[in-house]
Amino acid sequence: MRTGIYPGSFKPFHAGHYDVLLRAADENDTVTVFASTAPRTRKGEFPIYAETIEQAWNEHFLKLMPPNVKVEFVTNPIRATYEKLNAAPTEEFTVYLGHTDAGNFAELAKYAPGVRVKVTAVKRTRCSGTLVRKSLQDRDFETFSSMMPAGVDLSSLWKLFLAKTVFQEFVRSSIKTARR
């Protein structure tokens, strides 16, 4: 049996991720996606909150998954991948990564000794998480929409990602105004 693993932070999941996932689903009997539940809040960058990303998966992305794909929500997708590899050392695995993420598995032999695994680094050409977050920060719905997988409710997803951030901006603005 061919088993694929696709770990990632997916902040947020986008069309480039979906292309890789479809390739993995096509090349394997089963695919496990390890999706991070950790928030991504970096200074100067649009924040992606844990509860928002889980809601986006549950309401928008899970329904897009091919039948041979299972999504598991984890804190650390890299650790979850190593644990899965070590739990079944006689199986053969293919780990799918974006080309910039392949370095995360540079020490595969050290953490999963003897496991038969192939790492497939796929260049995502359609978009990037950085561009998606920038489109959210700039309130650029057109760019955001162009980077989402077909089949999602774009307006609903857009509102979901913006809701908490817009609310926090309103609260900060109100506090500043009240202090004057």
Side-chain angles (χ1 to χ4, degrees):
M1 178 157 90
R2 294 171 306 172
T3 303
I5 302 173
Y6 187 21
S9 63
F10 306 116
K11 299 291 191 290
F13 187 77
H14 55 68
H17 294 132
Y18 191 57
D19 289 345
V20 175
L21 180 121
L22 292 176
R23 175 179 171 180
D26 188 52
E27 295 177 353
N28 294 278
D29 299 309
T30 63
V31 176
T32 300
V33 175
F34 289 120
S36 173
T37 57
R40 182 180 174 118
T41 53
R42 296 181 181 173
K43 188 174 175 86
E45 187 177 274
F46 187 86
I48 304 290
Y49 300 102
E51 59 274 11
T52 304
I53 205 68
E54 289 182 57
Q55 188 176 350
W57 273 99
N58 288 321
E59 293 178 8
H60 298 278
F61 304 132
L62 288 178
K63 67 182 179 182
L64 302 176
M65 298 299 114
N68 64 333
V69 173
K70 176 178 74 168
V71 178
E72 292 185 26
F73 299 104
V74 298
T75 304
N76 186 324
I78 302 301
R79 179 179 297 128
T81 299
Y82 282 122
E83 288 170 358
K84 184 169 180 76
L85 294 173
N86 284 308
T90 59
E91 287 186 41
E92 290 188 38
F93 295 93
T94 302
V95 177
Y96 293 82
L97 303 164
H99 69 284
T100 59
D101 301 322
N104 291 329
F105 286 89
E107 298 188 35
L108 188 62
K110 178 179 174 183
Y111 294 107
V115 176
R116 295 181 312 202
V117 61
K118 177 176 109 177
V119 175
T120 299
V122 180
K123 185 170 174 97
R124 294 188 309 253
T125 57
R126 292 176 62 182
C127 57
S128 73
T130 302
L131 292 174
V132 174
R133 290 186 300 277
K134 182 165 179 13
S135 72
L136 287 162
Q137 187 164 342
D138 295 345
R139 307 302 196 264
D140 180 355
F141 180 75
E142 184 178 331
T143 299
F144 172 83
S145 299
S146 72
M147 292 187 278
M148 289 294 110
V152 299
D153 178 341
L154 296 169
S155 178
S156 175
L157 187 60
W158 173 258
K159 289 174 187 171
L160 172 64
F161 280 117
L162 290 179
K164 186 170 183 175
T165 302
V166 169
F167 177 74
Q168 288 179 335
E169 289 170 355
F170 170 76
V171 169
R172 279 193 293 274
S173 174
S174 297
I175 290 170
K176 284 180 184 176
T177 302
R179 289 181 179 166
R180 290 183 189 158

